[in-house]
Amino acid sequence: MSNPTATPTTLAYRHQVAVSAATGDAISKAAWMCFGSGDKAYSPDEDVALVAEFARVPVVCVVKGSVLTVRGNLTGIQAGDNVLREFSVETESGVMMGRRVVKPKQFEPTSEIELDLDFEY
């Protein structure tokens, strides 16, 4: 059954998976959630990085069935004066897996937000 909230993966990540399937090499794990202030629409076949990254944090990954949920937390201190408009997940080797554009969010120093990106395999 398809997950309607799943994030389409980038062409760069799909390429990495295809090469791993062909060669038997390991796929680089989901490692970072990146946060940015860019508001350009997501293009899975073209995007390779956030438009304007201002922070990144290590992620927690949870697998349920065929869905990988990647979770990251951004604090107001990490955000500073930046407005959150985009976030993404990158592999340990630096390949963007997927990206989301969100309504602008500003932070107080004591605030925090937890964000998830779901990927279905």
Side-chain angles (χ1 to χ4, degrees):
M1 183 164 176
S2 182
N3 179 347
T5 64
T7 300
T9 56
T10 64
L11 178 61
Y13 181 70
R14 293 190 309 267
H15 175 77
Q16 182 183 50
V17 171
V19 167
S20 294
T23 63
D25 290 343
I27 299 171
S28 184
K29 70 178 185 174
W32 302 103
M33 184 164 285
C34 307
F35 304 95
S37 57
D39 60 0
K40 182 185 123 203
Y42 178 40
S43 176
D45 290 343
E46 296 174 8
D47 287 2
V48 294
L50 290 180
V51 175
E53 182 178 331
F54 62 78
R56 64 175 50 207
V57 298
V59 297
V60 172
C61 297
V62 177
V63 176
K64 186 173 182 181
S66 63
V67 176
L68 166 64
T69 298
V70 183
R71 182 167 295 133
N73 291 309
L74 177 67
T75 67
I77 290 175
Q78 291 166 312
D81 291 333
N82 295 290
V83 176
L84 175 66
R85 290 189 171 97
E86 61 179 339
F87 67 102
S88 67
V89 172
E90 281 191 14
T91 66
E92 196 169 53
S93 65
V95 175
M96 178 191 280
M97 293 175 61
R99 176 176 167 261
R100 282 279 166 102
V101 178
V102 295
K103 291 181 181 179
K105 295 171 183 17
Q106 287 190 284
F107 294 85
E108 299 292 325
T110 58
S111 62
E112 182 175 348
I113 189 169
E114 179 179 270
L115 295 168
D116 292 348
L117 276 181
D118 291 338
F119 300 96
E120 187 166 21
Y121 292 84

